[in-house]
Structure formats: structure tokens, C-alpha cells
Amino acid sequence: MFGLEQLPKSGELLIITSSLKDIMCLYELGFSSIAFQSEHINPTEELMSSLKARFKRIVFLYDLDVPGMKSSMNTRGSM
């Protein structure tokens, strides 16, 4: 996972995205974000519980292609 060690202890918004490049762009815009090594990896319940305790809102920002849309649909249950 990319960006997890750099996250603040808490915050208003966390964006879970699809790549390290996205994290870098979002960082420059002032957003906290993390990315898995692939859009096909779903976050564990343990990870999501930990992140929910730290951030008020968590959103997924995946690519607008078939793998990204499928992954977005699969992660809805994690929230």
C-alpha cells in the first residue's frame, strides 16, 4: 500500500485511489490519500475500521475504466 505511513493521525477526508501518481497529485492539492498496489485489491475490514476511526469521510477515486468501475462496486460493502 502506498501512502499509509504518510497519513496524518486524523482528518476530514481520506481518498483511496488507484496509484502512487494519484497520491502525489492529490497531495499537491492538499488531500490525504492512499493507494493499493492494484485496483483489484480490496481493503480489509481491519484496515477500514482503522481508517474510519481516523477520518470523518473516506471516498474511493478509481480510474474510469472497466477495472476501476468493478473495483468501485466491490468496495462499496467496505464502507
Side-chain angles (χ1 to χ4, degrees):
M1 180 180 312
F2 303 111
L4 186 62
E5 297 294 322
Q6 290 76 28
L7 289 178
K9 292 184 193 244
S10 63
E12 287 289 320
L13 174 67
L14 173 65
I15 300 171
I16 298 176
T17 188
S18 61
S19 72
L20 182 57
K21 292 184 290 184
D22 293 339
I23 291 173
M24 293 187 299
C25 289
L26 290 166
Y27 175 82
E28 288 298 316
L29 294 170
F31 295 103
S32 298
S33 61
I34 58 172
F36 299 103
Q37 291 183 355
S38 166
E39 288 179 339
H40 301 290
I41 298 173
N42 290 325
T44 64
E45 287 185 34
E46 181 182 0
L47 174 63
M48 288 307 299
S49 292
S50 171
L51 294 172
K52 286 179 190 179
R54 294 171 61 182
F55 294 91
K56 292 184 179 178
R57 291 183 297 145
I58 300 173
V59 297
F60 289 84
L61 178 64
Y62 287 151
D63 294 337
L64 190 58
D65 57 12
V66 173
M69 290 186 286
K70 283 183 179 180
S71 294
S72 294
M73 295 304 293
N74 290 336
T75 56
R76 289 176 67 196
S78 299
M79 300 307 291

